[in-house]
Amino acid sequence: MAPIKGCKSLAGKPKIFIFQACRGSEFDSGIETFDSPEVSEAVKRRIIPIEADYLYAYSTVPGYYAWRNKVKGSWFVQALHELMKECACRIDFVKLLTRVNYKVASEFESKGQVKGMKQIPSIVSMLTKDLYFTDKNSGVAGI
């Protein structure tokens, strides 16, 4: 995706793209491991890069299949919808997407002809600030 160079009014504002699609035909059979927390700090700049403030959320990683339930819909959209309803006004969007990753990775597993397969969504963030969604009626800014 190319940055929106011709629209200066979007500079410094978050641009979010959410993709629900397969990115290949490979299946992920999973692997057993232990969790480890990671911490990162954002760096503030006076002049921002052209590619700044973009966020891409993909239902799966490159090369892999994106699973769905015929009745309930895709695993990724189910998890995103549930967590948006539950905590979108309380935590920043990247943290919410990280929770979506955890939910899809830990709570979903394929059934039927191809059993036991897993999926992990992918977040590509160039955001320079925390992004919060707020209630329309609150009057509070979302960034």
Side-chain angles (χ1 to χ4, degrees), residues 26-117:
E26 295 293 320
F27 295 140
D28 184 347
S29 58
I31 187 168
E32 191 173 340
T33 187
F34 297 98
D35 291 336
S36 64
E38 294 181 20
V39 179
S40 64
E41 294 286 326
V43 178
K44 295 182 180 181
R45 294 178 175 251
R46 292 182 187 185
I47 299 173
I48 62 171
I50 292 171
E51 299 279 346
D53 298 310
Y54 280 81
L55 182 136
Y56 303 96
Y58 297 93
S59 58
T60 191
V61 293
Y64 284 87
Y65 188 79
W67 291 92
R68 69 178 173 84
N69 176 291
K70 289 182 182 180
V71 176
K72 296 179 181 178
S74 77
W75 298 353
F76 176 63
V77 172
Q78 286 180 62
L80 179 61
H81 179 257
E82 182 179 323
L83 288 164
M84 287 290 291
K85 284 191 333 183
E86 181 183 314
C87 56
C89 293
R90 293 192 330 258
I91 64 172
D92 80 275
F93 194 54
V94 174
K95 183 176 257 185
L96 184 139
L97 289 173
T98 301
R99 290 182 184 187
V100 168
N101 284 3
Y102 179 78
K103 185 172 190 65
V104 170
S106 64
E107 295 181 18
F108 292 89
E109 188 171 298
S110 67
K111 295 173 176 51
Q113 288 182 329
V114 183
K115 293 180 181 169
M117 296 295 114

